[in-house]
């Protein structure tokens, strides 16, 4: 086997690149922005100045900076690029068109897939960082044609969640945030009896996915579900076994 250098690349073996918001929240294990979440190497790139506040306001002026982060990750050898915010769907079309490698910036991209595997006349429950920002325009960018099959709950009014991830106080009370997330999921299930799956939109929510599933008994999809799926698409393994 003969290997050749890739000009400009200083490290190797990181298949997934992750574009990060400029956020100061604690990224615990299970969070998209915590490298120990994965059983494979990832590479991170922060977009300076792209705050939670800006992304929730659908700020398209950050497109150039997001694109630059994607270009840098591609130059560093990643095979596919994601992000740590579902609202980065704003930049999905442009980056996917320009970068030339798979781009899957938002957990919301899973919605059409989930809709296709569920029975008709059922709903997907979505837990999001901010329900007011999760507009029809955002959902359309994710490929959702009909929103009547969705039940949406925002976490923006939950005090412990808001302190950690919106106000960015620098402190995360894990048990209390988990309680808020689980209560929100159970409320969706109570209010919409036809909810048959839950999607956790926000990249900070995967650590609570198991608790949500235990409380609701439903399939739970999140950012990490999608990233693992994509990793196994771009890094296929040879199987060794016997018959």
């Amino acid at each position: 086997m003969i290997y050749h250098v890739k000009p400009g690349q200083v490290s190797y073996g990181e298949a997934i690149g992750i574009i990060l918001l400029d956020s100061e929240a604690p990224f615990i294990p299970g969070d998209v922005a915590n490298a120990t979440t994965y059983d494979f190497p990832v590479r991170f790139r922060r977009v300076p100045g792209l705050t939670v506040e800006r992304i929730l306001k659908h700020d398209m002026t950050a497109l150039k900076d997001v694109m630059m982060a994607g270009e840098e990750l591609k130059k560093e050898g990643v095979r596919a690029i994601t992000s740590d915010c579902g609202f980065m769907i704003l930049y999905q079309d442009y980056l996917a068109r320009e970068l030339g490698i798979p781009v899957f910036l938002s957990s919301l991209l899973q919605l059409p897939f989930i809709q296709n595997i569920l029975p008709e006349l059922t709903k997907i429950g979505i837990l999001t960082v901010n329900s007011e920002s999760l507009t029809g325009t955002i959902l359309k960018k994710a490929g959702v044609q009909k929103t009547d099959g969705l039940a949406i709950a925002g976490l923006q009014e939950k005090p412990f969640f808001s302190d950690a991830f919106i106000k960015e106080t620098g402190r995360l009370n894990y048990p209390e945030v988990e309680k808020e997330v689980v209560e929100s999921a159970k409320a969706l299930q109570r209010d919409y009896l036809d909810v048959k799956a839950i999607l956790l939109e926000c990249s900070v929510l995967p650590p609570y996915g198991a608790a949500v599933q235990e409380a609701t008994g439903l399939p739970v999809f999140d950012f990490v579900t999608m990233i693992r799926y994509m990793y196994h698409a771009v890094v296929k393994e040879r199987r060794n076994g016997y018959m």
Side-chain angles (χ1 to χ4, degrees), residues 21 25 27 30-32 52 55-56 83-87 106-108 110 126-130 134 153 155 161 165-166 181 199-209 221-224:
L21 293 178
F27 299 131
D31 192 296
V32 168
V52 171
I55 198 76
L56 291 181
S83 84
D84 75 334
C85 180
F87 289 90
S106 173
S107 56
L108 299 172
Q110 297 171 98
I126 303 176
L127 292 185
T128 178
V129 61
N130 190 304
L134 190 55
L155 295 163
F161 180 89
F165 302 117
I166 298 176
V181 174
L199 172 66
L200 308 179
E201 170 273 321
C202 187
S203 68
V204 303
L205 291 177
Y208 315 103
F221 297 82
D222 59 33
F223 245 111
V224 176

Side-chain angles (χ1 to χ4, degrees), residues 12-152:
Y12 295 81
E14 297 152 323
I16 301 296
I18 304 176
I19 299 174
L20 302 178
L21 293 178
D22 196 349
S23 174
E24 296 297 328
F27 299 131
I28 65 175
D31 192 296
V32 168
N34 186 309
T36 67
T37 296
Y38 313 99
D39 55 3
F40 47 84
V42 297
R43 177 173 280 268
F44 297 108
R45 179 70 61 180
R46 179 180 290 196
V47 181
L50 183 53
T51 61
V52 171
E53 181 181 10
R54 286 181 67 189
I55 198 76
L56 291 181
K57 290 181 178 178
H58 304 173
D59 189 343
M60 289 302 296
T61 65
L63 176 59
K64 181 179 178 181
D65 293 330
V66 175
M67 181 65 188
M68 186 180 301
E71 289 173 337
E72 290 171 350
L73 286 168
K74 180 181 177 181
K75 184 178 180 180
E76 290 163 353
V78 305
R79 299 184 184 184
I81 292 175
T82 187
S83 84
D84 75 334
C85 180
F87 289 90
M88 282 211 200
I89 194 71
L90 290 163
Y91 318 117
Q92 170 69 30
D93 290 347
Y94 187 80
L95 266 68
R97 183 172 67 249
E98 297 295 325
L99 286 177
I101 59 175
V103 173
F104 55 116
L105 294 183
S106 173
S107 56
L108 299 172
L109 290 168
Q110 297 171 98
L111 285 171
F113 171 77
I114 302 170
Q115 286 180 326
N116 278 298
I117 66 174
L118 292 179
E120 291 187 30
L121 304 179
T122 59
K123 283 184 169 59
I124 303 168
I126 303 176
L127 292 185
T128 178
V129 61
N130 190 304
S131 54
E132 295 174 0
S133 295
L134 190 55
T135 62
T137 300
I138 291 290
L139 292 167
K140 188 174 181 180
K141 284 181 173 292
V144 176
Q145 301 303 318
K146 296 193 297 183
T147 59
D148 55 357
L150 305 176
I152 300 172

Side-chain angles (χ1 to χ4, degrees), residues 220-239:
V220 176
F221 297 82
D222 59 33
F223 245 111
V224 176
T225 308
M226 178 182 67
I227 293 171
R228 287 175 174 161
Y229 177 91
M230 196 65 213
Y231 173 81
H232 289 291
V234 298
V235 181
K236 302 305 293 183
E237 298 178 14
R238 292 184 179 274
R239 300 295 178 182

